[in-house]
Amino acid sequence: MTDAALVRLTISELAPKIKSKEISPVELTEAALAQADRLQPALNSFITLLHDQARQQAKEQEAALLRGDYHGPLHGIPIGIKDNIAIAGIRATVGSKVLSDHVPEADAYVVSQCKAAGAIIIGKENLEEFAAGSTSNNLHYGAVHNPWNLDHIPGGSSGGGGANVAACVTFASLGTDLGGSVRGPANFCGVVGMKQTFGRVSQRGLMVTSFNGDHIGPLTRSVRDSALMLQAIAGYDPLDPSTVPVPVPDFSSRIGQELRGLNMGIPTNYYFDIMDPEVETTVRQAISALEGLGVEAREVALPSMKYAGALRIAAMADSVVTHEPYLAAHRQDYGPTVLYRTLAGQFVLGRDYSKSLKVQRIIKEEYARVLQDVDFLVTPSSPVAAWRIDAESIVLDGQSYPVRGPGAGMTARCTSPSNATGLPAMSIPCGFTSAGLPIGLQLIGRPFEEALLFQVAHGYEAISPSRGRRPALVDAG
């Protein structure tokens, strides 16, 4: 099989071929590294490529396979890791000049889990500085480019991961999601992004973050691959008090089951209030397609979401505390967008912080009530498709919204609520704009019911207009 054919396969397609020794981890890793080298000048999706380490890991995994020691479906699979997740002995910049020379001493929990599952790490991926934004237009390491149109953003902050998965460089990438930073790139790059229930996956080794709502989650080319990745990284970590000691189910167990008899809630407010017409039309068509699969649609109201803007108050205060030591020693190394947005947190009063947490609790209770009557919610993943890298704002319904800095929260308005509620949410591709840019559909479920979301997403994936499509540059050159 040619390198071009190899890199287009999914994890679930590759796993049985690796297990049977039809494809070797070394062969697959070389194909992925070649694709990375070819596309890095165009995508700028990596901060650090790990050629030597990846080749060594591949040799070790091939030797294990020859011994009959097969570790499971990730055995020999090349993946990427966002550069705010620690790998022992490998520089981790968090996308900032502040940490340009930082080398962690220990692997993040999820990295150790991926290594134990036999995955091959080919590089640390580019991101928005300090994972704080929706563009991945990085001042220090350069902008990441969307493989569907290189003049457009890939989304943020896990933009390198989204671009690599879509461009068939990595077969999966681990990103982080504090306001939609996995689901956003999934939406803009036309791949699958999962933000599982808060507490399902350990945050240990996730650098410079708020621990109130941040998640490490997978970006993949298919729903089945997403389930396989979550299977590898989920589980209770006794050294991370944010994880919950609940059993880890087989996340693939419901994939392939019919959807008839399920109920989906379609919010009548907030999620569709600000929306590009092309995006709304495509999302509504996806909802109709789910109905065609037997899912009953019910309108649901979330009136407390009119207070959603208050959730950012607590996030601002958390951010300034997180950055305090770096601001004291390296303030001059910050990019202006991150600096000004972080410094604003020092003006949050204790009373306002408490009110923000009260709003968070009210919204959580409202979602809990609504999800008693429906099995899951369906919303857009984003109000818009990917905008140009050089854009300073986007216009919807005649109003201009900034895409960076103060006021840029609009671009993540559909994803950020699920970070506050902690509910599992995923973005799956559901079509394209007339300009050929991907559009995503978001599914939101009840706590720890990721398997149900995978069931629904897989059922829709089979009939999605996005199915099987890849950016033209995958096969070019």
Side-chain angles (χ1 to χ4, degrees):
M1 188 177 293
T2 65
D3 284 1
L6 274 178
V7 297
R8 289 181 66 94
L9 297 176
T10 64
I11 296 172
S12 53
E13 291 169 335
L14 283 164
K17 297 179 184 298
I18 291 174
K19 185 178 182 180
S20 67
K21 304 182 183 65
E22 180 183 341
I23 294 173
S24 81
V26 170
E27 174 189 14
L28 188 60
T29 299
E30 290 295 346
L33 288 172
Q35 184 81 331
D37 288 337
R38 181 173 74 84
L39 293 181
Q40 175 66 4
L43 298 177
N44 193 38
S45 50
F46 289 99
I47 289 179
T48 305
L49 270 163
L50 301 171
H51 295 87
D52 293 342
Q53 178 173 304
R55 289 185 172 111
Q56 181 59 37
Q57 288 180 339
K59 290 176 182 177
E60 291 170 359
Q61 295 306 324
E62 184 158 309
L65 198 62
L66 294 173
R67 294 195 304 268
D69 188 9
Y70 179 66
H71 298 312
L74 296 190
H75 194 127
I77 301 294
I79 66 171
I81 303 291
K82 188 175 179 180
D83 205 32
N84 63 340
I85 301 173
I87 301 178
I90 302 297
R91 182 178 68 147
T93 69
V94 198
S96 179
K97 184 179 177 182
V98 173
L99 292 164
S100 59
D101 297 320
H102 177 69
V103 178
E105 296 181 356
D107 286 338
Y109 178 84
V110 293
V111 170
S112 63
Q113 292 295 95
C114 286
K115 286 181 176 179
I120 312 297
I121 299 169
I122 68 168
K124 301 297 298 295
E125 293 169 321
N126 202 352
L127 66 155
E128 190 100 23
E129 183 180 9
F130 282 117
S134 302
T135 69
S136 297
N137 192 353
N138 192 298
L139 175 68
H140 309 290
Y141 301 98
V144 185
H145 297 258
N146 191 315
W148 293 94
N149 186 322
L150 296 175
D151 293 329
H152 288 245
I153 64 149
S157 59
S158 309
N164 280 332
V165 172
C168 298
V169 175
T170 60
F171 295 91
S173 291
L174 286 186
T176 63
D177 192 313
L178 182 55
S181 288
V182 163
R183 289 161 291 152
N187 169 76
F188 293 128
C189 293
V191 298
V192 177
M194 165 58 83
K195 183 207 77 66
Q196 66 288 327
T197 309
F198 186 73
R200 174 70 88 182
V201 171
S202 174
Q203 300 176 74
R204 181 157 56 91
L206 171 55
M207 300 169 56
V208 195
T209 182
S210 164
F211 293 97
N212 179 28
D214 210 347
H215 304 65
I216 299 174
L219 288 143
T220 59
R221 296 181 209 157
S222 75
V223 173
R224 192 179 292 274
D225 287 3
S226 184
L228 293 175
M229 285 295 295
L230 185 58
Q231 200 73 51
I233 64 175
Y236 176 63
D237 176 5
L239 298 181
D240 179 1
S242 75
T243 55
V244 181
V246 296
V248 177
D250 178 356
F251 292 116
S252 302
S253 62
R254 300 181 65 151
I255 286 179
Q257 294 182 14
E258 70 171 46
L259 307 187
R260 191 168 304 279
L262 295 176
N263 301 305
M264 59 180 167
I266 314 302
T268 57
N269 64 303
Y270 184 79
Y271 285 98
F272 290 90
D273 291 352
I274 303 174
M275 188 71 43
D276 176 85
E278 264 195 307
V279 171
E280 179 166 6
T281 297
T282 303
V283 169
R284 297 286 186 188
Q285 289 171 345
I287 291 171
S288 296
L290 283 168
E291 289 183 286
L293 294 173
V295 183
E296 180 183 337
R298 299 178 182 177
E299 290 189 340
V300 298
L302 297 163
S304 296
M305 287 302 291
K306 63 185 176 184
Y307 304 118
L311 298 172
R312 298 185 66 82
I313 301 300
M316 288 167 61
D318 288 346
S319 179
V320 77
V321 170
T322 299
H323 284 267
E324 201 166 25
Y326 304 108
L327 287 168
H330 299 283
R331 180 169 174 156
Q332 72 281 359
D333 292 331
Y334 274 75
T337 301
V338 177
L339 179 63
Y340 297 143
R341 117 181 222 169
T342 302
L343 289 177
Q346 66 188 311
F347 301 109
V348 174
L349 300 176
R351 176 187 61 193
D352 297 327
Y353 186 85
S354 182
K355 285 182 178 180
S356 180
L357 296 183
K358 182 178 180 179
V359 169
Q360 183 181 30
R361 175 59 183 252
I362 290 169
I363 290 175
K364 281 184 176 181
E365 290 174 348
E366 187 163 86
Y367 276 82
R369 286 193 299 270
V370 166
L371 285 166
Q372 295 301 302
D373 299 323
V374 296
D375 296 303
F376 59 98
L377 303 177
V378 180
T379 79
S381 296
S382 172
V384 292
W387 54 89
R388 286 182 59 90
I389 288 173
D390 58 4
E392 295 185 1
S393 63
I394 52 177
V395 177
L396 291 174
D397 296 327
Q399 184 170 343
S400 180
Y401 299 90
V403 296
R404 292 177 68 87
M410 189 284 298
T411 59
R413 73 188 310 272
C414 294
T415 51
S416 58
S418 296
N419 295 91
T421 63
L423 296 174
M426 65 186 301
S427 179
I428 55 176
C430 68
F432 295 85
T433 67
S434 56
L437 293 165
I439 297 170
L441 183 75
Q442 181 174 229
L443 308 177
I444 304 170
R446 291 188 284 256
F448 300 104
E449 290 193 3
E450 293 88 358
L452 173 64
L453 295 188
F454 286 131
Q455 175 192 358
V456 175
H458 182 265
Y460 173 75
E461 183 180 55
I463 59 170
S464 169
S466 302
R467 180 175 174 81
R469 292 184 59 176
R470 295 283 178 258
L473 59 65
V474 169
D475 298 318

